[in-house]
Amino acid sequence: SLIVPVAAWPAPPQHRVSALLATTLDGSEVVSGGEGGEVCLWGSSDETAPPGGPGDAAAAAALTPRVICLGHEAAVVWLGRCMLEGHAAVASLCACGHLNVWDP
């Protein structure tokens, strides 16, 4: 049987970015690590960014959070791509020295 954890917050969680990785991992273009220890995978939405922003890139795709991974006790200080059992994954290192591998 499959157990799927679900988290519900009264407000969206804060995500102060402390590490960033540009990638092409399973539909995500950007992976960010936060000061709270979370790792967030971001993907392009079908919506476009509003015109009038930096460079007026009206056709630029907006990034939306796809997955939030919880598992570190300190700020994420490093992110990298790796292979896990033959599949692309993300490795993250936090300030207390713990290394996690995520297979989203």
Side-chain angles (χ1 to χ4, degrees):
S1 69
L2 176 66
I3 298 174
V4 178
V6 175
W9 291 280
Q14 296 271 332
H15 184 64
R16 293 189 172 100
V17 176
S18 58
L20 199 60
L21 171 68
T23 184
T24 55
L25 174 74
D26 193 27
S28 294
E29 283 88 25
V30 175
V31 179
S32 60
E35 292 179 357
E38 69 282 349
V39 172
C40 186
L41 284 71
W42 301 80
S44 295
S45 69
D46 291 336
E47 302 173 14
T48 57
D56 196 22
L63 289 176
T64 55
R66 220 174 46 79
V67 176
I68 297 177
C69 304
L70 306 173
H72 284 298
E73 297 176 6
V76 176
V77 296
W78 176 83
L79 294 165
R81 280 192 65 179
C82 65
M83 296 297 288
L84 176 67
E85 298 177 354
H87 300 289
V90 173
S92 60
L93 179 69
C94 74
C96 66
H98 294 147
L99 178 72
N100 287 354
V101 176
W102 308 95
D103 183 16

